[in-house]
Amino acid sequence: MVFYILHTFLLLNYLSQTESMRTGGNIFTRRYKEPKETNYRQIEKQILDDILGPKVYDPRIRPAGENTTDGPSMVYVNVFMRSFSKIDDVKMEYSFQITLRQQWNDKRLRFKEKLEGMGVEEDKIRYLTMTDASKVWMPDTFFRNEKIGRFHSILTPNLYIRVFPGGDVLYSIRVSLICTCGMYLALFPFDEQTCNLDVASYGWTKNDLIYVWKGAGALQFAGNLSLPGGFKLANSTNKYCDVKTATGEYSCLRVDLVFARELSFYIVTIYVPCFMIVVVSWFSFWLDYKAVPARVALGVTTLLAMSTTMASIQKSLPPVAYTKAVDVWSGVCVFFVFSALLEYALVNYASRSDAQRSVKQKERKKQELERQVFNGDGYEEGGFPMSMDPLMRRMEGSHMMPPSAVIHHRISVRRPNKLSLWVKNFQFQAKKIDVFSRVFFPFVFAIFNVWYWSYYLTRKQGKPVK
């Protein structure tokens, strides 16, 4: 009996293994096959078709306010600064590239309950992604101070829309902009310029749409951000700038970017060259005033070099109705160079006057020498000449006193000042002008530098309030 039961069990086991090799399972597991793998992409398509159907969703109608009320729709904004390409002082504009992110809640796009009904976990479908912005309602955002703007579509349009299970919609787009920036250049190049980026609604008033900065990190910058044109980013803030017009009050967000100039760049390119040109113009004071070609060529060359430098500075700046700090510097440098050229004109005039004075002195000495020679001949012929004055005749007839009988008295003489004695020892006035200029010009220019740098480095930034 036991042998019969064992034989039957072995036969059934053999038959089950044979059937399993033929059908892919045994007779015990064929009724419990593993379920098929879930196609989440198909579920996403089904959800999009359900929530964006023309009978349940109209993109022309704005979402309801918070707590499904008729209040204004809240749009939370985040701005990511990607790069700056140009800051133009002449046109008073700046070019940059940003990623603008806007987020709002649209209860009509909520699909959390649908996921629960399908038995899909939220971590499997965290959000739905679209690239067609016309399928959902979009805020009519624009940039108030924009001059030129463009979207990026290489290789595909650089934008996306994410719809979250709770109905939140995130819209992100990459934009390149050229915006106006009103600049006050009175302290150039010691100035700081504040440029704005205003984000506002074009048609929806605050009764329908309100923009809000999204958290503390609403304004972000790229890690390798660099600024062109000798600028650096000194500060940045984000605030609100709601505007009221004849058609209503509109919500507005503002980004303030403070651009400070790199002073080292302008010292190397403007101040050092001008300083060197002024110093070179002083070399003429050490040249002989008779070297007319050398001194005139040096003066004219430095004046032309200074004029060219000043023209290049003005070419890079807009024409404004006030005086800039660089205008004061370049104007004074031109004045010193031109004064050095005028100094030689004065020296040349003084040298000619000295020459005429020297000729007159030579003639006067010659006449005096001739007179002394004539008087000496008279002494040799008849002794002392007889004077017509009776008193002089009595003195001439008296006996001469010997020189040893004269009592010498030491008269105290005041010693002259060394500086006045040094000035009087020069034979020509032209030389004195050159020597005086060697000290006077550098001294005055040094005083100007002390005033200039101490004044403009301590001035308060911004346009003065009237």
Side-chain angles (χ1 to χ4, degrees):
M1 184 67 181
V2 176
F3 176 77
Y4 177 76
I5 295 174
L6 181 61
H7 182 268
T8 304
F9 178 77
L10 292 175
L11 180 60
L12 290 175
N13 187 26
Y14 172 76
L15 291 175
S16 66
Q17 290 180 357
T18 305
E19 186 68 16
S20 123
M21 293 176 62
R22 186 175 64 85
T23 61
N26 53 47
I27 58 177
F28 300 104
T29 60
R30 265 182 289 172
R31 297 177 58 185
Y32 304 99
K33 292 183 179 180
E34 295 181 1
K36 295 181 180 179
E37 185 179 355
T38 305
N39 189 348
Y40 293 105
R41 305 291 82 78
Q42 185 66 27
I43 296 176
E44 290 179 358
K45 177 181 179 303
Q46 182 180 349
I47 294 175
L48 286 174
D49 292 339
D50 292 342
I51 63 178
L52 295 178
K55 294 183 179 180
V56 296
Y57 188 83
D58 189 351
R60 299 173 298 176
I61 306 301
R62 72 171 181 87
E66 293 183 352
N67 301 323
T68 64
T69 62
D70 291 334
S73 301
M74 309 297 292
V75 179
Y76 298 90
V77 179
N78 169 270
V79 177
F80 178 71
M81 291 287 177
R82 305 180 67 93
S83 63
F84 292 89
S85 56
K86 187 178 182 181
I87 302 176
D88 196 334
D89 296 312
V90 178
K91 296 182 180 179
M92 292 194 178
E93 63 185 21
Y94 69 113
S95 307
F96 59 100
Q97 186 180 122
I98 65 170
T99 296
L100 178 66
R101 303 186 185 102
Q102 303 175 84
Q103 185 172 350
W104 63 94
N105 186 270
D106 194 341
K107 297 298 183 182
R108 298 172 296 176
L109 300 177
R110 182 184 177 92
F111 61 91
K112 184 176 182 180
E113 291 77 9
K114 294 182 181 294
L115 293 178
E116 294 176 354
M118 295 179 181
V120 180
E121 299 178 359
E122 289 190 12
D123 60 342
K124 299 297 182 180
I125 301 180
R126 291 178 294 177
Y127 52 79
L128 304 176
T129 303
M130 299 185 298
T131 57
D132 189 358
S134 63
K135 296 294 184 181
V136 297
W137 175 87
M138 302 292 296
D140 58 343
T141 306
F142 83 110
F143 302 100
R144 291 179 55 194
N145 58 331
E146 170 208 351
K147 295 178 69 175
I148 300 175
R150 67 181 181 90
F151 300 118
H152 294 265
S153 57
I154 305 295
L155 297 169
T156 59
N158 296 173
L159 64 90
Y160 64 79
I161 302 171
R162 291 177 181 174
V163 182
F164 293 86
D168 290 336
V169 181
L170 175 62
Y171 175 57
S172 177
I173 187 170
R174 179 176 167 224
V175 187
S176 290
L177 298 170
I178 299 177
C179 295
T180 59
C181 178
M183 300 183 181
Y184 183 67
L185 302 172
L187 298 180
F188 177 87
F190 308 96
D191 58 332
E192 293 181 355
Q193 302 299 334
T194 301
C195 296
N196 304 323
L197 173 63
D198 294 345
V199 182
S201 173
Y202 191 81
W204 298 100
T205 63
K206 291 187 67 175
N207 296 327
D208 300 314
L209 182 65
I210 295 178
Y211 289 98
V212 181
W213 286 112
K214 187 179 180 181
L219 180 60
Q220 300 173 329
F221 295 88
N224 57 346
L225 189 65
S226 61
L227 273 67
F231 283 92
K232 63 180 179 181
L233 186 61
N235 193 14
S236 61
T237 56
N238 52 296
K239 56 186 180 181
Y240 296 89
C241 57
D242 297 346
V243 59
K244 190 174 183 179
T245 65
T247 57
E249 187 175 3
Y250 297 87
S251 179
C252 174
L253 303 179
R254 172 169 293 176
V255 176
D256 283 341
L257 302 172
V258 180
F259 300 127
R261 298 185 193 273
E262 291 282 1
L263 190 58
S264 59
F265 172 79
Y266 294 96
I267 288 178
V268 173
T269 58
I270 295 178
Y271 288 93
V272 171
C274 293
F275 180 81
M276 293 176 64
I277 293 173
V278 172
V279 172
V280 169
S281 69
W282 297 340
F283 290 173
S284 62
F285 303 153
W286 275 264
L287 296 179
D288 188 5
Y289 67 89
K290 296 180 181 179
V292 178
R295 295 192 64 163
V296 172
L298 182 61
V300 173
T301 302
T302 52
L303 183 60
L304 291 177
M306 193 64 232
S307 301
T308 304
T309 304
M310 189 174 181
S312 64
I313 295 172
Q314 296 299 327
K315 187 178 179 180
S316 61
L317 295 173
V320 292
Y322 47 82
T323 303
K324 302 179 288 292
V326 71
D327 295 337
V328 176
W329 173 264
S330 57
V332 171
C333 290
V334 170
F335 173 77
F336 270 90
V337 173
F338 184 69
S339 298
L341 189 60
L342 289 181
E343 187 268 351
Y344 178 65
L346 180 61
V347 168
N348 188 272
Y349 172 79
S351 65
R352 287 187 283 109
S353 300
D354 292 343
Q356 295 176 359
R357 191 181 306 109
S358 177
V359 171
K360 292 180 179 179
Q361 289 179 357
K362 289 180 179 180
E363 292 180 354
R364 191 179 303 110
K365 288 182 179 179
K366 185 178 179 181
Q367 294 176 358
E368 185 177 354
L369 183 61
E370 291 178 353
R371 188 182 304 108
Q372 291 177 358
V373 170
F374 175 76
N375 294 336
D377 293 342
Y379 294 151
E380 292 179 358
E381 292 176 358
F384 292 98
M386 296 297 293
S387 177
M388 298 299 294
D389 191 355
L391 180 60
M392 293 300 296
R393 280 203 300 266
R394 284 196 298 268
M395 291 178 61
E396 289 170 356
S398 63
H399 296 285
M400 299 290 293
M401 294 180 64
S404 57
V406 179
I407 301 175
H408 296 278
H409 297 277
R410 177 172 292 182
I411 302 174
S412 60
V413 180
R414 185 179 179 183
R415 299 182 64 182
N417 190 7
K418 291 183 178 180
L419 181 61
S420 60
L421 184 63
W422 176 70
V423 173
K424 291 180 180 179
N425 287 337
F426 284 104
Q427 187 175 2
F428 299 105
Q429 294 295 328
K431 185 66 175 178
K432 295 179 181 179
I433 296 175
D434 271 344
V435 173
F436 177 76
S437 299
R438 294 173 190 175
V439 179
F440 178 76
F441 275 72
F443 177 73
V444 175
F445 192 67
I447 293 177
F448 164 73
N449 272 269
V450 171
W451 170 84
Y452 180 85
W453 294 100
S454 60
Y455 176 78
Y456 282 105
L457 288 176
T458 56
R459 286 292 301 274
K460 185 179 179 181
Q461 297 292 335
K463 192 173 182 179
V465 180
K466 295 182 179 180

